[in-house]
PDB file of all heavy atoms in Angstrom:
ATOM      1  N   ASP A 193       0.830  -1.211   0.000  1.00  0.00           N
ATOM      2  CA  ASP A 193       0.000   0.000   0.000  1.00  0.00           C
ATOM      3  C   ASP A 193       0.861   1.256   0.000  1.00  0.00           C
ATOM      4  O   ASP A 193       0.538   2.255  -0.666  1.00  0.00           O
ATOM      5  CB  ASP A 193      -0.918   0.012   1.224  1.00  0.00           C
ATOM      6  CG  ASP A 193      -2.052  -0.994   1.104  1.00  0.00           C
ATOM      7  OD1 ASP A 193      -2.281  -1.499  -0.012  1.00  0.00           O
ATOM      8  OD2 ASP A 193      -2.684  -1.302   2.133  1.00  0.00           O
ATOM      9  N   LYS A 194       1.960   1.216   0.726  1.00  0.00           N
ATOM     10  CA  LYS A 194       2.795   2.409   0.893  1.00  0.00           C
ATOM     11  C   LYS A 194       3.803   2.582  -0.242  1.00  0.00           C
ATOM     12  O   LYS A 194       4.062   3.701  -0.696  1.00  0.00           O
ATOM     13  CB  LYS A 194       3.526   2.343   2.231  1.00  0.00           C
ATOM     14  CG  LYS A 194       4.315   3.604   2.567  1.00  0.00           C
ATOM     15  CD  LYS A 194       4.905   3.522   3.974  1.00  0.00           C
ATOM     16  CE  LYS A 194       5.670   4.792   4.315  1.00  0.00           C
ATOM     17  NZ  LYS A 194       6.244   4.727   5.692  1.00  0.00           N
ATOM     18  N   HIS A 195       4.378   1.458  -0.711  1.00  0.00           N
ATOM     19  CA  HIS A 195       5.505   1.548  -1.651  1.00  0.00           C
ATOM     20  C   HIS A 195       5.238   0.891  -3.000  1.00  0.00           C
ATOM     21  O   HIS A 195       6.064   1.026  -3.909  1.00  0.00           O
ATOM     22  CB  HIS A 195       6.747   0.905  -1.032  1.00  0.00           C
ATOM     23  CG  HIS A 195       7.162   1.491   0.276  1.00  0.00           C
ATOM     24  ND1 HIS A 195       7.770   2.723   0.372  1.00  0.00           N
ATOM     25  CD2 HIS A 195       7.045   1.014   1.554  1.00  0.00           C
ATOM     26  CE1 HIS A 195       8.033   2.985   1.654  1.00  0.00           C
ATOM     27  NE2 HIS A 195       7.596   1.967   2.390  1.00  0.00           N
ATOM     28  N   GLY A 196       4.127   0.186  -3.130  1.00  0.00           N
ATOM     29  CA  GLY A 196       3.835  -0.499  -4.383  1.00  0.00           C
ATOM     30  C   GLY A 196       4.343  -1.935  -4.379  1.00  0.00           C
ATOM     31  O   GLY A 196       5.204  -2.307  -3.573  1.00  0.00           O
ATOM     32  N   PRO A 197       3.839  -2.772  -5.292  1.00  0.00           N
ATOM     33  CA  PRO A 197       4.199  -4.196  -5.296  1.00  0.00           C
ATOM     34  C   PRO A 197       5.676  -4.452  -5.586  1.00  0.00           C
ATOM     35  O   PRO A 197       6.221  -5.479  -5.165  1.00  0.00           O
ATOM     36  CB  PRO A 197       3.302  -4.786  -6.385  1.00  0.00           C
ATOM     37  CG  PRO A 197       2.877  -3.626  -7.223  1.00  0.00           C
ATOM     38  CD  PRO A 197       2.814  -2.457  -6.304  1.00  0.00           C
ATOM     39  N   ARG A 198       6.347  -3.523  -6.281  1.00  0.00           N
ATOM     40  CA  ARG A 198       7.766  -3.724  -6.587  1.00  0.00           C
ATOM     41  C   ARG A 198       8.629  -3.733  -5.329  1.00  0.00           C
ATOM     42  O   ARG A 198       9.784  -4.198  -5.342  1.00  0.00           O
ATOM     43  CB  ARG A 198       8.262  -2.620  -7.526  1.00  0.00           C
ATOM     44  CG  ARG A 198       9.613  -2.898  -8.173  1.00  0.00           C
ATOM     45  CD  ARG A 198      10.094  -1.697  -8.978  1.00  0.00           C
ATOM     46  NE  ARG A 198      11.284  -1.995  -9.763  1.00  0.00           N
ATOM     47  CZ  ARG A 198      12.531  -1.989  -9.274  1.00  0.00           C
ATOM     48  NH1 ARG A 198      12.725  -1.701  -8.001  1.00  0.00           N
ATOM     49  NH2 ARG A 198      13.554  -2.269 -10.070  1.00  0.00           N
ATOM     50  N   ALA A 199       8.091  -3.271  -4.239  1.00  0.00           N
ATOM     51  CA  ALA A 199       8.834  -3.248  -2.977  1.00  0.00           C
ATOM     52  C   ALA A 199       8.949  -4.629  -2.351  1.00  0.00           C
ATOM     53  O   ALA A 199       9.662  -4.802  -1.353  1.00  0.00           O
ATOM     54  CB  ALA A 199       8.158  -2.288  -1.995  1.00  0.00           C
ATOM     55  N   VAL A 200       8.272  -5.620  -2.940  1.00  0.00           N
ATOM     56  CA  VAL A 200       8.311  -6.995  -2.433  1.00  0.00           C
ATOM     57  C   VAL A 200       9.126  -7.852  -3.402  1.00  0.00           C
ATOM     58  O   VAL A 200       8.877  -7.852  -4.606  1.00  0.00           O
ATOM     59  CB  VAL A 200       6.902  -7.579  -2.280  1.00  0.00           C
ATOM     60  CG1 VAL A 200       6.972  -9.026  -1.783  1.00  0.00           C
ATOM     61  CG2 VAL A 200       6.073  -6.725  -1.323  1.00  0.00           C
ATOM     62  N   ALA A 201      10.104  -8.576  -2.875  1.00  0.00           N
ATOM     63  CA  ALA A 201      10.979  -9.406  -3.701  1.00  0.00           C
ATOM     64  C   ALA A 201      11.058 -10.813  -3.131  1.00  0.00           C
ATOM     65  O   ALA A 201      10.785 -11.051  -1.947  1.00  0.00           O
ATOM     66  CB  ALA A 201      12.378  -8.799  -3.781  1.00  0.00           C
ATOM     67  N   ILE A 202      11.445 -11.734  -3.997  1.00  0.00           N
ATOM     68  CA  ILE A 202      11.704 -13.122  -3.606  1.00  0.00           C
ATOM     69  C   ILE A 202      13.115 -13.483  -4.043  1.00  0.00           C
ATOM     70  O   ILE A 202      13.574 -13.054  -5.105  1.00  0.00           O
ATOM     71  CB  ILE A 202      10.685 -14.086  -4.241  1.00  0.00           C
ATOM     72  CG1 ILE A 202       9.412 -14.165  -3.392  1.00  0.00           C
ATOM     73  CG2 ILE A 202      11.254 -15.483  -4.421  1.00  0.00           C
ATOM     74  CD1 ILE A 202       8.387 -15.152  -3.913  1.00  0.00           C
ATOM     75  N   TYR A 203      13.798 -14.259  -3.223  1.00  0.00           N
ATOM     76  CA  TYR A 203      15.038 -14.916  -3.668  1.00  0.00           C
ATOM     77  C   TYR A 203      14.835 -16.420  -3.576  1.00  0.00           C
ATOM     78  O   TYR A 203      14.535 -16.956  -2.507  1.00  0.00           O
ATOM     79  CB  TYR A 203      16.246 -14.508  -2.825  1.00  0.00           C
ATOM     80  CG  TYR A 203      17.478 -15.309  -3.207  1.00  0.00           C
ATOM     81  CD1 TYR A 203      18.070 -15.141  -4.463  1.00  0.00           C
ATOM     82  CD2 TYR A 203      18.025 -16.255  -2.348  1.00  0.00           C
ATOM     83  CE1 TYR A 203      19.170 -15.887  -4.841  1.00  0.00           C
ATOM     84  CE2 TYR A 203      19.132 -17.000  -2.719  1.00  0.00           C
ATOM     85  CZ  TYR A 203      19.694 -16.823  -3.969  1.00  0.00           C
ATOM     86  OH  TYR A 203      20.779 -17.575  -4.345  1.00  0.00           O
ATOM     87  N   ARG A 204      14.994 -17.085  -4.705  1.00  0.00           N
ATOM     88  CA  ARG A 204      14.820 -18.534  -4.801  1.00  0.00           C
ATOM     89  C   ARG A 204      16.191 -19.196  -4.851  1.00  0.00           C
ATOM     90  O   ARG A 204      16.929 -19.064  -5.807  1.00  0.00           O
ATOM     91  CB  ARG A 204      14.009 -18.892  -6.051  1.00  0.00           C
ATOM     92  CG  ARG A 204      12.628 -18.263  -6.073  1.00  0.00           C
ATOM     93  CD  ARG A 204      11.879 -18.517  -7.371  1.00  0.00           C
ATOM     94  NE  ARG A 204      12.383 -17.722  -8.480  1.00  0.00           N
ATOM     95  CZ  ARG A 204      12.996 -18.213  -9.545  1.00  0.00           C
ATOM     96  NH1 ARG A 204      13.192 -19.521  -9.654  1.00  0.00           N
ATOM     97  NH2 ARG A 204      13.425 -17.424 -10.512  1.00  0.00           N
ATOM     98  N   GLY A 205      16.541 -19.909  -3.787  1.00  0.00           N
ATOM     99  CA  GLY A 205      17.850 -20.537  -3.699  1.00  0.00           C
ATOM    100  C   GLY A 205      17.859 -21.957  -4.221  1.00  0.00           C
ATOM    101  O   GLY A 205      16.851 -22.487  -4.694  1.00  0.00           O
ATOM    102  N   ASN A 206      19.021 -22.602  -4.103  1.00  0.00           N
ATOM    103  CA  ASN A 206      19.158 -23.977  -4.583  1.00  0.00           C
ATOM    104  C   ASN A 206      18.243 -24.945  -3.853  1.00  0.00           C
ATOM    105  O   ASN A 206      17.812 -25.958  -4.414  1.00  0.00           O
ATOM    106  CB  ASN A 206      20.605 -24.441  -4.445  1.00  0.00           C
ATOM    107  CG  ASN A 206      21.524 -23.781  -5.447  1.00  0.00           C
ATOM    108  OD1 ASN A 206      22.498 -23.139  -5.067  1.00  0.00           O
ATOM    109  ND2 ASN A 206      21.233 -23.922  -6.723  1.00  0.00           N
ATOM    110  N   GLY A 207      17.953 -24.655  -2.586  1.00  0.00           N
ATOM    111  CA  GLY A 207      17.058 -25.537  -1.846  1.00  0.00           C
ATOM    112  C   GLY A 207      15.677 -25.591  -2.443  1.00  0.00           C
ATOM    113  O   GLY A 207      14.986 -26.613  -2.351  1.00  0.00           O
ATOM    114  N   LEU A 208      15.250 -24.496  -3.085  1.00  0.00           N
ATOM    115  CA  LEU A 208      13.934 -24.473  -3.725  1.00  0.00           C
ATOM    116  C   LEU A 208      13.988 -25.124  -5.095  1.00  0.00           C
ATOM    117  O   LEU A 208      13.019 -25.734  -5.543  1.00  0.00           O
ATOM    118  CB  LEU A 208      13.448 -23.034  -3.855  1.00  0.00           C
ATOM    119  CG  LEU A 208      11.996 -22.854  -4.321  1.00  0.00           C
ATOM    120  CD1 LEU A 208      11.040 -23.405  -3.281  1.00  0.00           C
ATOM    121  CD2 LEU A 208      11.702 -21.401  -4.607  1.00  0.00           C
ATOM    122  N   SER A 209      15.137 -25.024  -5.760  1.00  0.00           N
ATOM    123  CA  SER A 209      15.216 -25.511  -7.138  1.00  0.00           C
ATOM    124  C   SER A 209      15.057 -27.014  -7.229  1.00  0.00           C
ATOM    125  O   SER A 209      14.745 -27.543  -8.295  1.00  0.00           O
ATOM    126  CB  SER A 209      16.550 -25.087  -7.768  1.00  0.00           C
ATOM    127  OG  SER A 209      17.639 -25.721  -7.124  1.00  0.00           O
ATOM    128  N   VAL A 210      15.280 -27.735  -6.133  1.00  0.00           N
ATOM    129  CA  VAL A 210      15.112 -29.188  -6.163  1.00  0.00           C
ATOM    130  C   VAL A 210      13.829 -29.626  -5.454  1.00  0.00           C
ATOM    131  O   VAL A 210      13.668 -30.789  -5.124  1.00  0.00           O
ATOM    132  CB  VAL A 210      16.337 -29.897  -5.541  1.00  0.00           C
ATOM    133  CG1 VAL A 210      17.556 -29.680  -6.402  1.00  0.00           C
ATOM    134  CG2 VAL A 210      16.604 -29.422  -4.119  1.00  0.00           C
ATOM    135  N   SER A 211      12.900 -28.697  -5.242  1.00  0.00           N
ATOM    136  CA  SER A 211      11.657 -29.045  -4.553  1.00  0.00           C
ATOM    137  C   SER A 211      10.549 -29.468  -5.504  1.00  0.00           C
ATOM    138  O   SER A 211       9.433 -29.716  -5.084  1.00  0.00           O
ATOM    139  CB  SER A 211      11.164 -27.853  -3.716  1.00  0.00           C
ATOM    140  OG  SER A 211      10.594 -26.861  -4.552  1.00  0.00           O
ATOM    141  N   SER A 212      10.815 -29.524  -6.781  1.00  0.00           N
ATOM    142  CA  SER A 212       9.893 -29.955  -7.832  1.00  0.00           C
ATOM    143  C   SER A 212       8.862 -28.908  -8.211  1.00  0.00           C
ATOM    144  O   SER A 212       8.563 -28.719  -9.383  1.00  0.00           O
ATOM    145  CB  SER A 212       9.164 -31.265  -7.462  1.00  0.00           C
ATOM    146  OG  SER A 212      10.078 -32.292  -7.200  1.00  0.00           O
ATOM    147  N   ASN A 213       8.283 -28.231  -7.228  1.00  0.00           N
ATOM    148  CA  ASN A 213       7.224 -27.268  -7.554  1.00  0.00           C
ATOM    149  C   ASN A 213       7.507 -25.851  -7.074  1.00  0.00           C
ATOM    150  O   ASN A 213       6.851 -24.912  -7.491  1.00  0.00           O
ATOM    151  CB  ASN A 213       5.893 -27.735  -6.952  1.00  0.00           C
ATOM    152  CG  ASN A 213       5.973 -27.921  -5.449  1.00  0.00           C
ATOM    153  OD1 ASN A 213       6.262 -27.008  -4.707  1.00  0.00           O
ATOM    154  ND2 ASN A 213       5.732 -29.146  -4.989  1.00  0.00           N
ATOM    155  N   GLY A 214       8.490 -25.699  -6.210  1.00  0.00           N
ATOM    156  CA  GLY A 214       8.680 -24.426  -5.528  1.00  0.00           C
ATOM    157  C   GLY A 214       8.980 -23.257  -6.429  1.00  0.00           C
ATOM    158  O   GLY A 214       8.448 -22.158  -6.244  1.00  0.00           O
ATOM    159  N   ASN A 215       9.842 -23.458  -7.427  1.00  0.00           N
ATOM    160  CA  ASN A 215      10.225 -22.339  -8.281  1.00  0.00           C
ATOM    161  C   ASN A 215       9.040 -21.757  -9.034  1.00  0.00           C
ATOM    162  O   ASN A 215       8.826 -20.549  -9.058  1.00  0.00           O
ATOM    163  CB  ASN A 215      11.306 -22.782  -9.275  1.00  0.00           C
ATOM    164  CG  ASN A 215      12.701 -22.587  -8.718  1.00  0.00           C
ATOM    165  OD1 ASN A 215      13.034 -21.529  -8.220  1.00  0.00           O
ATOM    166  ND2 ASN A 215      13.520 -23.618  -8.789  1.00  0.00           N
ATOM    167  N   GLN A 216       8.288 -22.611  -9.683  1.00  0.00           N
ATOM    168  CA  GLN A 216       7.166 -22.114 -10.479  1.00  0.00           C
ATOM    169  C   GLN A 216       6.112 -21.449  -9.611  1.00  0.00           C
ATOM    170  O   GLN A 216       5.551 -20.409  -9.978  1.00  0.00           O
ATOM    171  CB  GLN A 216       6.561 -23.255 -11.292  1.00  0.00           C
ATOM    172  CG  GLN A 216       7.439 -23.720 -12.445  1.00  0.00           C
ATOM    173  CD  GLN A 216       6.684 -24.606 -13.420  1.00  0.00           C
ATOM    174  OE1 GLN A 216       5.484 -24.462 -13.602  1.00  0.00           O
ATOM    175  NE2 GLN A 216       7.397 -25.533 -14.035  1.00  0.00           N
ATOM    176  N   VAL A 217       5.821 -22.039  -8.458  1.00  0.00           N
ATOM    177  CA  VAL A 217       4.816 -21.451  -7.577  1.00  0.00           C
ATOM    178  C   VAL A 217       5.296 -20.103  -7.042  1.00  0.00           C
ATOM    179  O   VAL A 217       4.528 -19.130  -6.982  1.00  0.00           O
ATOM    180  CB  VAL A 217       4.464 -22.408  -6.429  1.00  0.00           C
ATOM    181  CG1 VAL A 217       3.539 -21.733  -5.411  1.00  0.00           C
ATOM    182  CG2 VAL A 217       3.809 -23.680  -6.968  1.00  0.00           C
ATOM    183  N   ALA A 218       6.567 -20.015  -6.670  1.00  0.00           N
ATOM    184  CA  ALA A 218       7.099 -18.755  -6.151  1.00  0.00           C
ATOM    185  C   ALA A 218       7.047 -17.658  -7.209  1.00  0.00           C
ATOM    186  O   ALA A 218       6.664 -16.512  -6.920  1.00  0.00           O
ATOM    187  CB  ALA A 218       8.530 -18.957  -5.665  1.00  0.00           C
ATOM    188  N   GLN A 219       7.427 -17.987  -8.425  1.00  0.00           N
ATOM    189  CA  GLN A 219       7.376 -16.986  -9.497  1.00  0.00           C
ATOM    190  C   GLN A 219       5.937 -16.545  -9.769  1.00  0.00           C
ATOM    191  O   GLN A 219       5.669 -15.359  -9.983  1.00  0.00           O
ATOM    192  CB  GLN A 219       8.014 -17.549 -10.760  1.00  0.00           C
ATOM    193  CG  GLN A 219       9.530 -17.682 -10.672  1.00  0.00           C
ATOM    194  CD  GLN A 219      10.127 -18.288 -11.929  1.00  0.00           C
ATOM    195  OE1 GLN A 219       9.868 -19.434 -12.278  1.00  0.00           O
ATOM    196  NE2 GLN A 219      10.932 -17.514 -12.630  1.00  0.00           N
ATOM    197  N   ALA A 220       5.021 -17.511  -9.765  1.00  0.00           N
ATOM    198  CA  ALA A 220       3.616 -17.179 -10.024  1.00  0.00           C
ATOM    199  C   ALA A 220       3.025 -16.361  -8.879  1.00  0.00           C
ATOM    200  O   ALA A 220       2.195 -15.475  -9.104  1.00  0.00           O
ATOM    201  CB  ALA A 220       2.818 -18.459 -10.240  1.00  0.00           C
ATOM    202  N   TRP A 221       3.433 -16.653  -7.651  1.00  0.00           N
ATOM    203  CA  TRP A 221       2.954 -15.878  -6.507  1.00  0.00           C
ATOM    204  C   TRP A 221       3.400 -14.424  -6.638  1.00  0.00           C
ATOM    205  O   TRP A 221       2.604 -13.498  -6.444  1.00  0.00           O
ATOM    206  CB  TRP A 221       3.488 -16.474  -5.206  1.00  0.00           C
ATOM    207  CG  TRP A 221       3.079 -15.690  -3.987  1.00  0.00           C
ATOM    208  CD1 TRP A 221       1.915 -15.822  -3.282  1.00  0.00           C
ATOM    209  CD2 TRP A 221       3.807 -14.631  -3.358  1.00  0.00           C
ATOM    210  NE1 TRP A 221       1.879 -14.912  -2.255  1.00  0.00           N
ATOM    211  CE2 TRP A 221       3.028 -14.172  -2.275  1.00  0.00           C
ATOM    212  CE3 TRP A 221       5.038 -14.033  -3.596  1.00  0.00           C
ATOM    213  CZ2 TRP A 221       3.449 -13.140  -1.434  1.00  0.00           C
ATOM    214  CZ3 TRP A 221       5.467 -13.000  -2.767  1.00  0.00           C
ATOM    215  CH2 TRP A 221       4.676 -12.569  -1.696  1.00  0.00           C
ATOM    216  N   LEU A 222       4.674 -14.228  -6.985  1.00  0.00           N
ATOM    217  CA  LEU A 222       5.191 -12.873  -7.103  1.00  0.00           C
ATOM    218  C   LEU A 222       4.506 -12.130  -8.247  1.00  0.00           C
ATOM    219  O   LEU A 222       4.155 -10.950  -8.117  1.00  0.00           O
ATOM    220  CB  LEU A 222       6.705 -12.917  -7.328  1.00  0.00           C
ATOM    221  CG  LEU A 222       7.456 -11.599  -7.159  1.00  0.00           C
ATOM    222  CD1 LEU A 222       7.387 -11.113  -5.712  1.00  0.00           C
ATOM    223  CD2 LEU A 222       8.906 -11.742  -7.595  1.00  0.00           C
ATOM    224  N   ALA A 223       4.301 -12.825  -9.367  1.00  0.00           N
ATOM    225  CA  ALA A 223       3.587 -12.207 -10.490  1.00  0.00           C
ATOM    226  C   ALA A 223       2.172 -11.828 -10.080  1.00  0.00           C
ATOM    227  O   ALA A 223       1.627 -10.811 -10.528  1.00  0.00           O
ATOM    228  CB  ALA A 223       3.566 -13.155 -11.681  1.00  0.00           C
ATOM    229  N   GLY A 224       1.584 -12.631  -9.202  1.00  0.00           N
ATOM    230  CA  GLY A 224       0.222 -12.368  -8.757  1.00  0.00           C
ATOM    231  C   GLY A 224       0.084 -11.081  -7.969  1.00  0.00           C
ATOM    232  O   GLY A 224      -0.975 -10.445  -8.001  1.00  0.00           O
ATOM    233  N   ILE A 225       1.140 -10.683  -7.260  1.00  0.00           N
ATOM    234  CA  ILE A 225       1.051  -9.414  -6.534  1.00  0.00           C
ATOM    235  C   ILE A 225       1.532  -8.248  -7.402  1.00  0.00           C
ATOM    236  O   ILE A 225       1.442  -7.094  -6.983  1.00  0.00           O
ATOM    237  CB  ILE A 225       1.844  -9.448  -5.204  1.00  0.00           C
ATOM    238  CG1 ILE A 225       3.349  -9.523  -5.456  1.00  0.00           C
ATOM    239  CG2 ILE A 225       1.388 -10.594  -4.321  1.00  0.00           C
ATOM    240  CD1 ILE A 225       4.166  -9.314  -4.188  1.00  0.00           C
ATOM    241  N   GLY A 226       2.066  -8.557  -8.595  1.00  0.00           N
ATOM    242  CA  GLY A 226       2.451  -7.505  -9.524  1.00  0.00           C
ATOM    243  C   GLY A 226       3.876  -7.022  -9.401  1.00  0.00           C
ATOM    244  O   GLY A 226       4.208  -5.916  -9.835  1.00  0.00           O
ATOM    245  N   SER A 227       4.762  -7.855  -8.827  1.00  0.00           N
ATOM    246  CA  SER A 227       6.158  -7.462  -8.672  1.00  0.00           C
ATOM    247  C   SER A 227       7.040  -8.214  -9.659  1.00  0.00           C
ATOM    248  O   SER A 227       6.836  -9.408  -9.891  1.00  0.00           O
ATOM    249  CB  SER A 227       6.644  -7.747  -7.250  1.00  0.00           C
ATOM    250  OG  SER A 227       8.038  -7.501  -7.133  1.00  0.00           O
TER     251      SER A 227
END
């Protein structure tokens, strides 16, 4: 509300890259808030 959706970021590490679903869901979640 104060700074806009770009003020929210995600960092996806190697631990997520081998979780089978984590990367795609994380990217889609971030896209959903408009960042």
Side-chain angles (χ1 to χ4, degrees):
D193 287 346
K194 186 174 181 180
H195 303 286
R198 194 186 188 278
V200 179
I202 275 183
Y203 174 67
R204 301 175 286 113
N206 288 122
L208 189 65
S209 66
V210 293
S211 75
S212 302
N213 58 60
N215 270 311
Q216 288 194 30
V217 173
Q219 288 178 296
W221 178 86
L222 193 65
I225 68 170
S227 174

